[in-house]
Amino acid sequence: MSPVSTMTITTAILCALGVDAAACPPGAGHGHGSANTTATALTQPYYPANAHCIEYTVPVSVSYDRVNFNFSQWPDDYALEQTLASGYVTQLSTGVAVLQQLAAAVRTGRYTGTVGKPSKLVLMGFSFGSYITHNTIAATPDIADAVVLTAFGANLTAGVNGNGLLRSFVPRVAALSNAQRFGLLDTGYLTWVDKYALIENYFKYPYYDTDAVAYVESTKEAFSIGEFLTFATVPDTSSFTGAALAITAETDYIVCDGYCPGVFDEPAKTYYKNAKPFVAYLQPEASHHLNFHRNATGAFEVITSFLDRTL
């Protein structure tokens, strides 16, 4: 796998390395207009020293017209014209439309900087982003050369427990829960109630640090009602012939109801039966947020080794 010619799109959010919205607020980089021309520094402990928002964001804006998402260059360098879609309208298909357009743009060499036009394209998702990625591959199987689905489960019978998830999230209207962070969102956007709900759903004791929990809670994002109601959509992807990796934690509460052995491989293996290859991997000593458990680097090694072998 050549790092120069291979591009990976992470679909948890539209940022090259998963930068959260709080760290990169709208306009971060050069601000709205010409008044602020200083790039916003990333001060969170999990980013490299002296990292700046402008280094990580994808320079596109998204406008919503009830059907399509259309990408355009930001009008003032990296300044963002922000259009907020209602949480009562956005859903999984919204994310698929965004990813299809972004992937097509990256294929042509847009937004790739000095990398230029990539020879290979990988779609990588986390949690809801993995369901977006899976559905994008199902609808447009030639859109990428490989797919990496993290914190993903296709078993909707014995795995994903929507009713239990709703109870353990104890969701609250995001804007009322934290007006400073989510005040611009309408009441169709929710978030889990507190750090204890976060731990219940995303972490596995004793394999995490409390500082990691505090960080994730402080940078959490809202999700829309429409996204929650449509995320567990898992169509057949047998038309995809690229490389596919599905990786989640062995004790993932969200997609396996707490224990993945015996319920994780299928029907994912059947859906990706024509992938070359399809690999299903369970990361030990972790739950859904495998990125923030102590052995996260082990999961990252599985992903990068898979891409090295298959691309």
Side-chain angles (χ1 to χ4, degrees), residues 16-61:
L17 294 181
V19 177
D20 62 87
C24 285
H30 290 283
H32 294 279
S34 58
N36 175 17
T37 57
T38 302
T40 301
L42 300 176
T43 58
Q44 283 85 347
Y46 294 95
Y47 294 117
N50 302 316
H52 285 79
C53 197
I54 196 171
E55 300 175 63
Y56 294 94
T57 52
V58 177
V60 296
S61 62

Side-chain angles (χ1 to χ4, degrees), residues 130-131 134 149-154 234 246-248 252 255 264 268 272 288:
S130 287
Y131 290 91
H134 176 85
L149 306 169
T150 73
F152 170 83
V234 189
I247 174 173
T248 195
D252 191 310
V255 302
F264 179 67
Y272 285 95
H288 192 70

